[in-house]
Amino acid sequence: MDIFIPYLFFFLLLPFSIYLILFFHKEASDDTKNLPPGTKGWPVLGENIDLGLLGLSKFIRDRMEKYSPDVFQTSLLGDKVVVFCGAQGNKMIFNNDGKLVIPWLPFSLRKIVLPDFDVNSPYEDAIGLFRNFQYDILKPEALRQYIPVMDALARTHLRDCWKPHPSVKAQPLINNYTFELACRLFLNVTDPERLQKISRPFAPMRNGLMSLPIDLPWTAYGRGIKAGKMVRAELTKIVEARREEGREKRDLLSMILELKDEEGKCVSVNKITNFFVGLMVASYDSTASAMTSVVFFLAEYPHVYEELLKEQMAIAKSKAPGENLTWEDIEKMKYSWNVVREALRLVPTAPGTFKEAMADISFAGFTIPKGMKTFWTPHSTHNNPEYFPEPEKFDPSRFEGSGPAPYTFVPFGGGARICPGRTYAKLAILVMVHNLVTKFRIEKAIPHEKMVVEVMAAPSHGLLLHLDPH
Ligand code: HEM
Ligand SMILES: *[C@@H]1O[C@H](CO)[C@@H](O)[C@H](O)[C@H]1NC(C)=O
Ligand SMILES: *[C@@H]1O[C@H](CO)[C@@H](O)[C@H](O)[C@H]1NC(C)=O
Ligand SMILES: *[C@@H]1O[C@H](CO)[C@@H](O)[C@H](O)[C@H]1NC(C)=O
């Protein structure tokens, strides 16, 4: 399902020079005069080295200062890329999906997540299924029923994997919980053996997405393609078994099995599998990493933890022991949600996406020619003092009242392609946070353990925490 792939593209923003030499030779045509300012950097390597050294956030900020706060040109992955910046740039991209820009995705990535015969399928192929899915199944009303499941699983997870230990490495545990949750909610897979079968090849598959696309048996990319096939095979088995079983309209898979196309035909098993591979990849890393950074900031700033604890304890006290959280409880988590949003502002877990210009675009006095690759990123606004005074400060109160100006806080993108999983992510994170803080005080075992940016920002030692049960 190609639709999910633009979202994954940020993995390829890595400083991989060989990648560029081998795989991207094409240059967009250069006959337009009025291009945005910027440098193409080194031949072939472009500015990937700078990007690798500086990190995306600083890379973007430096160039906005040097060239233009609205739009600049750079060269990444061997292609010239125009980066749209600021609230106006975001607005331009978000409001012109399908009019001036379409998602752009690399062949190498398709090869891992799609079966061979779908690798060249047109982008629009999957949109029907996706639109149905987006509007029917990830809507708040449908998500309501997920909350008790999330809550029950969070409780079991904390009881079994956190509570027995005086200290834990939080990040791998959070990853594990997020994966289990997605499998349970989307596929009704709870059997540990099945979970293992999907999750084992999942890690090499993701590593493949982030590696040099050289398809040999011993490269990460080669292993990624192989693991991708295993993940697909496992998911296909699940889909086929469920199609046999009949459909109770209760989880995501059963709803998709009921969808019909214009001719009244069911969606093919292959399409459904593509869909789930995309969904698992899109939902898993970003949610787990956001959850990790929320816990990271809670451990770093005790006053934030205390304030959040107060809110969560009031909710806990209003419920019978063991009673599940509800949508109404989530709505009371106002301060907590501001904490989550502030964490997403400082550490946006999706660095932005690439699009391709469908027509010549006039923007900020420049012309971006048809066919040009473009990029938008939360890093052009999230750390901008114009929109967020003292941007490096962790301050959840920024989101009080009317909150940030439009198009400045954009961790989930915006417009037609805004992340359809954003409410799911909100629920998953808040439910986990509720259970965590009402059970433990947390303290960093490595004082001020830092966030480091590799593929995604992550705590340098996996977020080692001391746990102190209430
Ligand atoms: C904190 C967690 C998450 C963040 C920060 C995030 C962020 C994003 C961003 C920035 C995009 C790209 C928008 C664009 O191309 O302009 C996106 C797309 C997408 N996300 Fe998420 N996401 C998160 C969680 C999830 C979850 C939990 C799901 C599924 C349940 C999900 C499913 C998707 C899908 C399917 C797309 C592609 C939409 C399309 O191309 O139309 N995401 N997400
Ligand atoms: C909470 O939700 C879980 C999962 O849906 C369910 O098994 C459990 O019985 C619920 N607990 C209560 C007290 O309703
Ligand atoms: C993650 O969960 C699986 C079971 O689903 C378990 O075997 C594995 O040890 C867990 N990993 C961590 C890091 O806890
Ligand atoms: C999930 O699977 C279990 C058996 O493993 C079954 O009892 C239950 O009804 C299924 N739930 C849904 C929503 O299909």
Side-chain angles (χ1 to χ4, degrees), residues 11-252:
F11 291 129
L12 295 177
L13 264 180
L14 303 173
F16 283 143
S17 44
I18 302 172
Y19 182 107
L20 311 178
I21 295 166
L22 292 178
F23 291 89
F24 290 89
H25 314 291
K26 248 185 14 250
E27 290 252 315
S29 73
D30 209 354
D31 41 18
T32 324
K33 292 274 158 20
N34 191 22
L35 286 166
T39 169
K40 284 187 255 169
W42 298 88
V44 189
L45 296 182
E47 294 203 280
N48 274 58
I49 295 179
D50 267 32
L51 174 61
L53 291 173
L54 296 173
L56 183 58
S57 183
K58 183 137 189 4
F59 179 90
I60 299 285
R61 218 175 328 142
D62 280 5
R63 276 150 190 75
M64 286 172 73
E65 264 168 35
K66 198 157 153 202
Y67 300 118
S68 153
D70 302 311
V71 59
F72 65 84
Q73 206 192 140
T74 179
S75 179
L76 298 167
L77 305 167
D79 259 302
K80 277 189 292 187
V81 174
V82 167
V83 181
F84 285 89
C85 304
Q88 286 309 315
N90 292 342
K91 185 174 176 186
M92 186 348 263
I93 294 276
F94 297 160
N95 289 344
N96 286 293
D97 183 79
K99 293 180 226 151
L100 294 175
V101 292
I102 44 167
W104 177 60
L105 36 109
F107 183 78
S108 64
L109 221 154
R110 294 172 172 226
K111 273 205 60 154
I112 292 185
V113 294
L114 293 173
D116 291 339
F117 49 87
D118 272 358
V119 168
N120 292 309
S121 60
Y123 186 83
E124 299 298 317
D125 253 16
I127 287 202
L129 173 56
F130 174 71
R131 293 291 175 215
N132 264 316
F133 150 73
Q134 174 175 2
Y135 294 122
D136 293 350
I137 300 159
L138 283 181
K139 263 196 190 158
E141 302 86 81
L143 288 169
R144 254 173 200 275
Q145 61 184 338
Y146 290 173
I147 298 173
V149 184
M150 289 174 169
D151 194 18
L153 190 67
R155 253 178 286 156
T156 324
H157 173 77
L158 289 169
R159 187 195 64 208
D160 297 346
C161 304
W162 296 57
K163 196 147 182 278
H165 312 287
S167 55
V168 294
K169 205 182 231 192
Q171 190 183 19
L173 291 175
I174 288 172
N175 287 350
N176 216 345
Y177 165 75
T178 315
F179 196 84
E180 255 189 78
L181 185 63
C183 287
R184 176 168 309 202
L185 289 177
F186 298 151
L187 296 161
N188 193 27
V189 171
T190 51
D191 168 33
E193 208 176 305
R194 258 275 149 79
L195 276 173
Q196 286 269 311
K197 273 204 174 139
I198 314 173
S199 71
R200 220 179 299 119
F202 205 83
M205 177 176 91
R206 275 166 43 243
N207 292 342
L209 297 173
M210 304 170 208
S211 65
L212 310 175
I214 303 169
D215 183 6
L216 293 169
W218 59 85
T219 59
Y221 185 69
R223 285 196 300 268
I225 290 182
K226 198 161 148 241
K229 290 196 172 124
M230 284 161 74
V231 171
R232 291 187 55 80
E234 234 5 84
L235 289 173
T236 302
K237 265 192 236 160
I238 294 168
V239 175
E240 275 170 347
R242 281 285 282 285
R243 177 153 271 170
E244 295 297 303
E245 265 169 31
R247 314 127 191 190
E248 246 178 283
K249 192 166 180 154
R250 281 160 73 200
D251 68 358
L252 183 54

